[in-house]
Amino acid sequence: MPSIFDHQDFKKYRNAWDARQKELTYRGGYYDGSIYQRTRDGLWFLGPKANGSVKPLFLPFARAVDIDAGSIPSGWEFPKTEAKADVWSKARDALFDASKWDTNGVLFVHYGAKYGVSGLRVSDYNNKVIVSPADPTRFMLIYGDMYSSEPTMALWIEYRVDENNKRYEYAEVITPATISTYKDGESYAYGTAEVVYANPQKRIPIVECVHINDGTELGECTYQKAIVLLDEVNDMATRLSETIKKNEEPQTVITGADATDLQRGSDWAWFLMNPEASAQFLVPQIDIEGVLSFIKEIKVGVHDALPELSFDELRKAGQIATQTIELQLIEFVIKVQLTRPNYDRALTEAMKIAGAAAKRLNLPAIAPLDDPELILDKKRPVLPVMPKDAIDLEMAQIELQNMRAGNVAKAGA
């Protein structure tokens, strides 16, 4: 299929785009189960035992993504100590309502947990401003150099189907000045828009963030460390499958008989005329129980690599205090505390862009978000706080304040 990367101006970005797609598709395969399919096919000789042992290795990945998507946002609240918190909250609610964030917003963290990188795109059209989670497999930001904080260009590429049910490549090239559209690598005007039209936002309207910052461009997805373990299972399945294929027609050793005493009746049997003769097939021995034992060890390793799965241990404990829960889920709490700032920074930046667009379009409900002081609450809880625990905490704070006031009074006397 023709592509925008066939265009002379964009050929230089093909390798970077392909490398990005390869890595993100690879990571996504552990979420959607396509990697599991390959592993299962490699261990077909184990029969039902393969499905029963291998499939549970992959099930936790989707679950970990769902838990991250539900835990990291925590309402996207602003600090209650900020004087503008109420104004910002109303503007955020107006933006989220216009963006259908209650159903679409979950994809922001979902994409990041699944792929290791996520994005937000701010759009304004028909006198309306919205912010939408951006699938990282559909865009790539381009910077002038490694020290640039703002991208100079963005490529947005996805595949669509036309009125004749024919698949084609839709592409946008976005710069702070213009937005250009392409179809199968050729300039193309969609709808009533021009082929090249002015970018009303005067900046790249896409913000990107990583899930876990490891210093690389694509960061780490939520199950990155578990991938290493699953790759060992995949490698084992590949080796065993290759071994079996190589021995589909094993060598046969026949002893106690001359060639004239042999007769091959089919692909599966030798007839030996000499009753003292014997035949033996030279095939490698496969330790099936050892393979299954290895898979069980990997399953334990996968569980340990995903702190999100620690919730399993709490199901048996019943209702316990929030402080106790946080101690038992400390690894998960730390993980959220490491990942949340990445999403907060991206969402804050996207809200500022949306606020600026709202100002330009005279939309006062959203315009207050165009504020350099805009900031999300860094101290919002990771885990939901039970009402009783919230009351106990408030009483403890009051008692501490009274104690401090008493000490100050004594010191003054």
Side-chain angles (χ1 to χ4, degrees):
M1 176 184 292
S3 170
I4 191 174
F5 296 113
D6 297 327
H7 196 288
Q8 188 62 38
D9 294 339
F10 308 110
K11 282 184 177 180
K12 58 185 176 182
Y13 303 120
R14 180 187 288 273
N15 289 341
W17 176 266
D18 288 347
R20 180 185 179 94
Q21 294 300 308
K22 181 180 179 180
E23 178 62 23
L24 296 184
T25 301
Y26 166 69
R27 295 178 182 181
Y30 287 89
Y31 175 85
D32 62 28
S34 57
I35 298 292
Y36 156 69
Q37 183 72 31
R38 191 181 74 187
T39 304
R40 189 189 67 178
D41 292 346
L43 297 175
W44 61 269
F45 61 90
L46 294 179
K49 288 186 177 181
N51 287 330
S53 300
V54 176
K55 191 172 184 177
L57 297 177
F58 294 84
L59 294 177
F61 294 142
R63 183 175 162 212
V65 170
D66 291 342
I67 292 175
D68 284 1
S71 303
I72 290 175
S74 193
W76 306 115
E77 298 292 342
F78 300 107
K80 291 181 174 59
T81 55
E82 285 287 338
K84 304 176 186 177
D86 187 54
V87 175
W88 289 343
S89 296
K90 291 179 180 178
R92 175 208 59 205
D93 291 346
L95 175 63
F96 282 3
D97 184 57
S99 306
K100 299 181 179 178
W101 192 262
D102 56 341
T103 56
N104 297 333
V106 67
L107 292 175
F108 178 35
V109 178
H110 173 89
Y111 286 144
K114 175 181 176 180
Y115 293 115
V117 62
S118 186
L120 293 168
R121 179 167 183 172
V122 179
S123 307
D124 61 88
Y125 60 92
N126 295 334
N127 208 39
K128 186 177 181 181
V129 177
I130 66 171
V131 58
S132 306
D135 185 337
T137 65
R138 296 185 178 184
F139 75 88
M140 182 173 72
L141 301 182
I142 298 167
Y143 294 83
D145 54 58
M146 62 182 296
Y147 303 106
S148 301
S149 59
E150 291 281 340
T152 57
M153 180 187 295
L155 298 177
W156 186 281
I157 303 172
E158 60 184 74
Y159 295 96
R160 300 180 176 180
V161 177
D162 62 19
E163 61 278 5
N164 298 317
N165 204 34
K166 182 180 179 182
R167 190 167 179 263
Y168 67 93
E169 180 194 83
Y170 169 87
E172 291 180 37
V173 177
I174 307 170
T175 70
T178 62
I179 299 177
S180 308
T181 53
Y182 296 80
K183 182 177 182 179
D184 285 341
E186 300 292 335
S187 296
Y188 187 86
Y190 292 88
T192 59
E194 300 290 332
V195 172
V196 181
Y197 55 94
N199 181 353
Q201 301 187 53
K202 308 298 182 185
R203 60 169 297 165
I204 305 299
I206 301 174
V207 182
E208 184 178 61
C209 72
V210 296
H211 185 67
I212 298 175
N213 189 351
D214 65 347
T216 63
E217 181 181 356
L218 298 178
E220 290 185 1
C221 65
T222 200
Y223 42 76
Q224 196 78 36
K225 293 178 175 60
I227 283 179
V228 178
L229 300 174
L230 267 295
D231 282 347
E232 292 186 21
V233 178
N234 288 333
D235 291 342
M236 178 189 67
T238 299
R239 291 195 301 270
L240 292 176
S241 180
E242 290 175 350
T243 299
I244 291 173
K245 287 181 180 179
K246 288 179 181 178
N247 291 275
E248 286 179 339
E249 296 184 4
Q251 296 294 315
T252 306
V253 174
I254 297 175
T255 57
D258 294 327
T260 55
D261 295 332
L262 306 178
Q263 180 181 353
R264 186 157 187 177
S266 68
D267 292 339
W268 300 97
W270 283 91
F271 298 100
L272 309 178
M273 305 305 180
N274 188 334
E276 297 182 358
S278 63
Q280 181 181 5
F281 292 97
L282 298 181
V283 294
Q285 296 297 314
I286 297 177
D287 181 8
I288 294 180
E289 291 303 319
V291 171
L292 295 176
S293 177
F294 173 72
I295 292 174
K296 289 180 181 178
E297 291 180 10
I298 295 297
K299 182 179 178 180
V300 173
V302 168
H303 188 282
D304 292 344
L306 296 172
E308 290 86 348
L309 304 186
S310 299
F311 284 97
D312 290 340
E313 306 302 324
L314 297 180
R315 292 180 180 178
K316 307 171 184 178
Q319 186 173 345
I320 54 179
T322 301
Q323 296 89 336
T324 305
I325 293 176
E326 288 191 350
L327 286 175
Q328 294 190 38
L329 298 177
I330 187 63
E331 285 189 77
F332 175 68
V333 172
I334 291 173
K335 185 175 182 179
V336 172
Q337 290 173 339
L338 288 174
T339 56
R340 181 178 282 174
N342 303 325
Y343 292 98
D344 284 5
R345 183 177 294 274
L347 181 57
T348 300
E349 186 63 25
M351 288 193 291
K352 290 178 182 178
I353 296 174
K359 272 188 177 179
R360 175 171 48 82
L361 295 174
N362 193 25
L363 301 174
I366 300 175
L369 294 175
D370 182 24
D371 189 333
E373 297 180 359
L374 189 73
I375 186 173
L376 289 166
D377 185 3
K378 298 178 181 178
K379 297 181 180 179
R380 61 191 192 274
V382 172
L383 303 173
V385 179
M386 301 298 293
K388 180 181 181 301
D389 296 326
I391 293 173
D392 290 345
L393 178 60
E394 186 175 355
M395 293 297 293
Q397 290 174 337
I398 293 173
E399 185 178 345
L400 179 60
Q401 290 172 357
N402 291 337
M403 186 183 301
R404 288 174 176 172
N407 290 338
V408 171
K410 290 179 181 179

